[in-house]
Each structure stands twice: as structure tokens, then as C-alpha cells.
């Protein structure tokens, strides 16, 4: 069985308005050696749960799954073949975006320019721990090998004005994971309207957007140099659709095309290997490879955000599962 939704068309006013997320991860995403089905003719798309303004996904090393959205961050627990149960982690209704993990602490950025955190107990409780400095809309997040958290500002500010595109770096008290001791602007050049962020080794990859009508989206990379500073930004791939998030896989990178409603698998050189059909997803905002015990490594978890500002309709607002049909 194939179940595919149809993405609604967007006007030019939304071209630069995808409010996406990074693929937050434990120190870095885990690549998979399993062949992935990233095409509409080999996969079955199932809706697992409703998630308002679904944004970002994070697996812990032991397989716990968290999803952020416009109203909360939820822990996801599978309770059937095609369904999951969600538990809210925050008492605050906040436009949550990026997720990251340091040890046993989960971090979540908020559109109000606050950083939330929770110890990963059996019942985590997200609370605000830090107010970002000179950062209007913290979004994509990735954890560095040294425990720093890198955070993208963009592509929106939440108040209708343009953001100041940059990547900031947060450093923490070694003895207190809830204490930010330093925020610095790590990278402020070579970005236009950045969004998603992910790390592989000492390279950070991020999605970017442009005002040019031909090449709306791009995946770029920037190395973390031995002294901790940022190297030169390189363009890995360009697209004619607005991008949102990305994650690393064995083949290379898996990217969500927000505007065209598809997933794209890239090889290490940035060339397209395969993709799902245009309009097959309702404005996908993030994707992550399945992890046991709840999911298999040939399955993909996808957040379908839908139309910006709409948190209740059947267009997006959900967590979906793409699994091979030949299982």
C-alpha cells in the first residue's frame, strides 16, 4: 500500500518562510549501512501521530525519540504498528525548533530566543535555562565533539523582520549542563537564510536559501578547525526548491525539500541519488533514520510541518514513517 499526501501550492511570500529545524542529535547523527528507500515507488508512507507545526527529530543513543513542534517537545513511544503515543515535556507553549543532546541532557531552542533543557530521566521536564544574546530566532542545532552546541539563526525572526544570518556557539560549565557560560558568533559570513544544521566529524552541514529565483536552496559545509574557529564555507549542492533540514546517512546526506514536498538523497559529492515524488509530503521539515528498538534502520521518520502558522489542519502537522514496501 502507498499512502501519499498532496502538498498545497505556496505563493512567493512563503518562499523564504520555511521555519525549519536542524536534525538535533547525540554528538552527531549515526550513519546507517542499510540501503534506504528514498523514492515513492518503493516506500509506504504512514501517519504516526498529529504534531502541531512538526519541526525536528532527535534519537538518543538508546533509541528514545523526541520531536519538537510549534506547541511543545514530545517524547515519542511506539504503541502499535502504525501509531505512537506522545508525552509533552514542557509546561510552556513555545515555538520549539532545534533539538540537541549533550550526555544525559536534552536541549531545545525556542522562537522566543530562549534555550530550554531537561535531564533525560524517565519523565523529562523542559525548562528555560538561557536567553540568547542578539539572536532573534534560534533554529537548527548541532552538538560539537567538544560539547559545544552550534545554533543557526534564521530563516525567520518571528516578528516579520529579516534575521541576522549566523551560527552561534554555546559553551557550558563542565560541571553543570544547565549553565551556559559563553555565547559567541562562530560564523557570520557565507550564509543567506540558513535553517537546518547537522555535524559529521569536524564538518558542519547546513541548509541555506537565496533570494535568487533559480537556485532557491543550497546545502553548504563549513569545517570546525583545530583551534575551534570556522573554516571556509563550501557549497555542496544547489536546488531549485526551498530546503529545510538535513541529516547524514551512509550514502551522504538526506535533505528535506520543504517547498516541493519531497526527500532527496545526495551522495558524498552532493549529486542526487534518488528522491521521492514532488508533492508527496506536506512541506517536510525534518527527517531522521530509524533506530531500534522502536524503529528499523531502513525506516525514515519525517516531520511534515504543513502551512506556516496552521497548527490544526490535516495539511502537515504530523509525524510520519516511510518504510520499504517489500518488508
Amino acid at each position: 500500500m502507498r499512502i501519499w499526501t498532496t502538498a498545497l501550492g505556496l505563493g512567493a511570500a512563503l518562499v523564504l518562510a520555511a521555519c525549519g529545524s536542524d536534525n538535533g542529535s547525540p554528538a552527531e547523527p549515526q550513519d546507517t549501512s542499510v540501503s534506504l528507500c528514498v523514492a515513492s515507488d518503493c516506500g509506504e508512507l504512514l501517519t504516526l501521530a498529529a504534531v502541531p507545526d512538526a519541526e525536528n527529530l532527535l534519537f538518543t543513543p538508546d533509541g528514545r525519540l523526541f520531536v519538537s513542534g510549534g506547541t511543545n517537545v514530545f517524547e515519542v513511544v511506539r504503541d502499535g504498528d502504525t501509531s505512537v503515543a506522545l508525552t509533552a515535556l514542557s509546561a510552556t507553549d513555545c515555538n520549539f525548533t532545534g533539538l540537541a543532546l549533550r550526555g544525559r541532557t536534552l536541549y531545545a531552542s525556542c522562537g522566543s530566543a530562549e534555550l530550554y533543557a531537561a535531564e533525560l530521566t524517565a519523565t523529562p521536564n523542559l525548562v528555560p535555562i538561557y536567553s540568547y544574546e542578539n539572536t532573534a530566532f534560534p533554529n537548527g542545532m548541532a552538538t560539537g565533539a567538544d560539547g559545544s552546541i552550534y545554533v543557526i539563526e534564521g530563516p525567520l525572526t518571528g516578528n516579520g523582520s529579516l534575521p541576522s544570518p549566523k551560527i552561534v556557539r554555546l559553551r557550558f560549565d563542565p560541571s553543570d549542563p544547565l549553565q551556559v557560560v559563553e555565547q559567541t558568533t562562530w560564523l557570520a559570513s557565507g550564509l543567506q537564510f540558513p535553517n537546518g544544521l547537522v555535524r559529521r566529524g569536524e564538518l558542519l552541514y547546513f541548509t541555506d536559501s537565496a533570494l535568487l529565483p533559480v537556485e532557491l536552496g543550497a546545502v553548504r559545509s563549513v569545517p570546525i578547525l583545530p583551534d575551534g574557529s570556522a573554516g571556509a564555507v563550501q557549497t555542496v549542492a544547489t536546488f531549485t526548491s526551498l530546503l529545510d533540514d538535513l541529516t547524514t546517512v551512509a550514502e551522504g546526506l538526506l535533505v528535506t525539500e520543504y517547498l516541493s514536498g519531497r526527500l532527496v538523497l545526495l551522495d558524498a559529492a552532493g549529486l542526487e541519488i534518488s528522491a521521492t515524488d514532488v508533492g508527496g509530503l506536506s512541506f517536510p521539515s525534518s527527517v531522521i533514520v530509524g533506530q531500534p528498538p522502536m524503529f528499523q534502520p531502513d525506516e525514515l521518520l519525517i516531520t511534515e510541518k504543513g502551512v506556516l502558522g496552521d497548527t490544526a489542519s490535516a495539511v502537515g502537522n504530523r509525524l510520519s514513517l516511510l518504510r520499504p514496501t517489500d518488508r
Side-chain angles (χ1 to χ4, degrees):
M1 176 177 64
R2 291 171 58 205
I3 305 173
W4 292 91
T5 57
T6 301
L8 298 181
L10 282 182
L14 289 183
V15 164
L16 291 174
C19 172
S21 58
D22 75 305
N23 175 18
S25 60
E28 60 184 302
Q30 299 300 306
D31 291 343
T32 173
S33 59
V34 176
S35 180
L36 295 175
C37 161
V38 185
S40 301
D41 59 0
C42 64
E44 169 184 37
L45 187 69
L46 303 168
T47 296
L48 295 181
V51 179
D53 254 356
E55 272 285 333
N56 188 35
L57 293 158
L58 179 146
F59 270 115
T60 65
D62 58 355
R64 294 176 73 175
L65 177 62
F66 298 90
V67 58
S68 66
T71 60
N72 219 304
V73 175
F74 304 91
E75 180 160 12
V76 179
V77 177
R78 197 159 189 172
D79 63 357
D81 183 50
T82 60
S83 63
V84 296
L86 302 179
T87 301
L89 305 190
S90 172
T92 303
D93 184 351
C94 170
N95 184 9
F96 287 103
T97 55
L99 298 174
L101 187 68
R102 296 176 66 252
R104 294 289 302 167
T105 305
L106 174 71
Y107 299 86
S109 282
C110 176
S112 62
E114 291 179 294
L115 179 68
Y116 281 62
E119 182 184 358
L120 286 183
T121 61
T123 56
N125 179 33
L126 273 176
V127 295
I129 64 166
Y130 178 72
S131 294
Y132 285 93
E133 302 169 357
N134 302 313
T135 304
F137 194 88
N139 199 348
M141 300 174 70
T143 306
D146 65 350
S148 298
I149 291 181
Y150 297 84
V151 187
I152 276 182
E153 176 176 359
L156 294 176
T157 61
N159 59 14
S161 61
L162 294 178
S164 171
K166 59 181 176 286
I167 300 177
V168 302
R169 181 174 60 195
L170 303 179
R171 287 182 167 157
F172 294 79
D173 184 330
S175 62
D176 185 356
L178 304 184
Q179 183 66 43
V180 176
V181 296
E182 180 186 57
Q183 175 184 330
T184 56
T185 297
W186 187 74
L187 179 68
S189 61
L191 306 90
Q192 294 175 303
F193 292 91
N195 197 326
L197 184 66
V198 70
R199 178 174 69 89
R200 169 181 271 154
E202 293 307 309
L203 273 180
L204 289 178
Y205 292 91
F206 63 93
T207 56
D208 205 358
S209 302
L211 290 172
L212 298 176
V214 177
E215 294 180 351
L216 286 177
V219 173
R220 309 191 201 281
S221 67
V222 56
I224 304 171
L225 299 179
D227 65 358
S229 63
V233 174
Q234 302 290 329
T235 297
V236 176
T238 58
F239 296 77
T240 57
S241 178
L242 181 71
L243 308 182
D244 198 321
D245 191 25
L246 75 172
T247 190
T248 64
V249 293
E251 294 88 343
L253 295 167
L254 189 56
V255 183
T256 56
E257 280 193 358
Y258 177 85
L259 195 61
S260 64
R262 69 176 192 151
L263 300 180
V264 181
L265 180 63
L266 303 177
D267 66 14
L271 300 177
E272 183 177 315
I273 298 173
S274 63
T276 59
D277 290 345
V278 171
L281 296 160
S282 291
F283 309 118
S285 53
S286 68
V287 60
I288 196 169
V289 176
Q291 184 172 321
M294 289 193 294
F295 299 95
Q296 298 304 309
D298 61 354
E299 296 177 326
L300 298 176
L301 284 300
I302 306 162
T303 51
E304 296 183 71
K305 186 174 185 67
V307 179
L308 295 177
D310 166 28
T311 61
S313 80
V315 180
N317 295 312
R318 59 179 168 259
L319 173 63
S320 300
L321 175 70
L322 178 61
R323 65 183 183 189
T325 54
D326 60 357
R327 180 171 301 157

